[in-house]
Amino acid sequence: MGIETVGIVGTGQMGLGIAQLLAQQGIRTVAIKMTGGDVSGKYATVDKSLQKLVDREKLTAEQKEHILEALTITTDLHELRDCDLVIESIVEEMDRKQQLFHELEQITSETCLLASNTSTLGITELASAVQHRERLVGLHFFNPATVMKLVEIIPTLHTPNDTVERLHKWVEAIGKTPVVVKDETGFIVNRLLTPYMVDAIRAYERGLADAAAIDTAMKLGCNHPMGPLELADYIGLDIVYHMATNLYETFKEPRLAPPPLLRTLVIAEQLGRKSGLGFYDYSTRPATPRKL
Ligand code: 3HC
């Protein structure tokens, strides 16, 4: 059976990015804004992102209209009833995700696959909240979802092989490259990337170099598109904090624990690019490195 209609729950940076990506692939996509209220701002975000592609002559105005027609953004979870796959991308809290999957199991048909885009939470633990655990897998996209080529597929001990094969083919069909990884905190990318960002924050705390120097060093020394502090700001410092905490709680290695400065920034609600302040100040163009 094909995957023709896909639901995305959560319209933050990742959820909306995945929704846009799927609509760009011609897939009927229903995105749910879980915080209620007006959805026009979400449509405007997608419109603006597509318009950039039109301006760069990567899309025609007609293609842009088709993409927008393929995408529905709503606050009503029941709109997911005809989906073949629903991908959850809400706040990184186990209880809220489990509650959501429990509701999704009631709303969707038994053949609909349920997936989580969690950064580090356990897929098996999420699946323990549903009756048919074989329906729930991890499908982990990367930010910005429209551009990044990788999707991690995380089966659990309950997942049938044919579901993994089906998702593998589907991920390729939407123009991405899948890797299959066991259900362990951080999967592959965040398991390796989080300690790297956390080490960079510690190096900054110790005064090894300023933020711009650390980022420039890794960009030019390793050919990375962004330096680690810039990337942490881009992902969101609250998310980096959660990832480091989850990794530390799982593996108990002191090096994985979130550094004090990261904690302070999160408490101060200086979460990186999305809140305008992080390791950089985004009120200027280009952003200005801060002295913290
Ligand atoms: N659809 C298709 N293509 C698009 C697009 C869209 N909606 N939007 C942009 N693109 C294309 C652009 O046309 C451009 O292609 P071109 O080079 O052929 O013209 C390309 O994507 C890059 O776009 P931009 O020019 O706007 O951006 P930059 O070249 O400045 O790159 C970046 C920006 C892609 C963010 C780059 O800096 C980068 O790769 N940074 C690292 C990002 C990263 O590591 N992400 C992973 C984070 S970890 C994560 O997400 C896990 C989670 O659990 C926390």
Side-chain angles (χ1 to χ4, degrees):
M1 228 180 56
I3 296 178
E4 280 157 22
T5 305
V6 178
I8 308 293
V9 188
T11 51
Q13 202 167 226
M14 279 307 295
L16 203 59
I18 300 168
Q20 178 180 333
L21 154 77
L22 298 182
Q24 283 182 223
Q25 295 295 319
I27 294 172
R28 266 200 311 276
T29 306
V30 182
I32 309 293
K33 180 172 181 288
M34 281 300 278
T35 46
D38 187 15
V39 295
S40 60
K42 299 292 175 185
Y43 276 115
T45 304
V46 176
D47 192 291
K48 197 172 150 198
S49 166
L50 293 173
Q51 187 56 43
K52 267 196 211 157
L53 295 179
V54 174
D55 296 343
R56 290 187 196 167
E57 297 184 354
K58 302 228 160 195
L59 272 187
T60 65
E62 198 187 354
Q63 283 170 323
K64 178 188 154 197
E65 287 318 308
H66 282 141
I67 294 166
L68 288 170
E69 276 163 26
L71 176 65
T72 302
I73 307 176
T74 167
T75 55
D76 182 4
L77 264 188
H78 288 89
E79 296 283 323
L80 299 175
R81 68 182 86 78
D82 298 325
C83 287
D84 305 304
L85 165 70
V86 175
I87 304 169
E88 164 281 312
S89 187
I90 65 166
V91 62
E92 289 286 272
E93 285 173 26
M94 181 59 76
D95 290 355
R96 283 172 71 177
K97 285 188 195 275
Q98 284 185 328
Q99 174 58 33
L100 172 67
F101 279 119
H102 178 71
E103 280 177 58
L104 289 174
E105 201 176 29
Q106 320 300 317
I107 291 167
T108 57
S109 79
E110 269 191 30
T111 56
C112 171
L113 289 173
L114 303 175
S116 175
N117 179 54
T118 179
S119 303
T120 48
L121 294 177
I123 307 300
T124 311
E125 196 174 345
L126 287 171
S128 67
V130 299
Q131 215 181 337
H132 296 281
R133 297 182 181 192
E134 70 285 357
R135 285 175 68 183
L136 201 150
V137 293
L139 266 188
H140 186 213
F141 291 77
F142 295 84
N143 193 12
T146 47
V147 176
M148 303 299 285
K149 289 286 177 217
L150 183 72
V151 177
E152 291 175 321
I153 300 176
I154 307 109
T156 70
L157 296 176
H158 310 290
T159 315
N161 287 339
D162 58 355
T163 299
V164 180
E165 280 162 27
R166 198 175 155 208
L167 287 171
H168 207 281
K169 286 199 183 111
W170 181 75
V171 169
E172 286 175 338
I174 60 167
K176 303 288 183 191
T177 301
V179 292
V180 178
V181 47
K182 280 189 185 154
D183 179 27
E184 195 175 87
T185 310
F187 318 125
I188 299 172
V189 173
N190 287 336
R191 170 88 174 260
L192 300 180
L193 180 65
T194 308
Y196 160 65
M197 289 186 293
V198 159
D199 268 349
I201 296 170
R202 257 188 220 112
Y204 176 76
E205 274 180 337
R206 290 171 61 96
L208 184 70
D210 62 29
I214 291 173
D215 283 338
T216 301
M218 292 311 293
K219 276 194 283 197
L220 302 186
C222 294
N223 235 1
H224 290 185
M226 284 179 174
L229 301 175
E230 198 186 354
L231 182 59
D233 270 0
Y234 184 74
I235 291 171
L237 299 182
D238 51 339
I239 294 173
V240 176
Y241 180 81
H242 274 292
M243 295 197 295
T245 304
N246 285 343
L247 282 165
Y248 176 67
E249 279 172 5
T250 305
F251 300 108
K252 296 286 186 287
E253 291 169 26
R255 196 172 169 207
L256 297 170
L261 177 59
L262 177 60
R263 186 163 187 271
T264 304
L265 285 163
V266 172
I267 293 169
E269 294 178 18
Q270 298 184 359
L271 306 178
R273 224 185 252 217
K274 62 185 166 189
S275 58
L277 281 177
F279 289 98
Y280 289 80
D281 176 347
Y282 294 90
S283 63
T284 60
R285 255 176 192 248
T288 314
R290 294 173 75 200
K291 285 194 171 51
L292 295 166

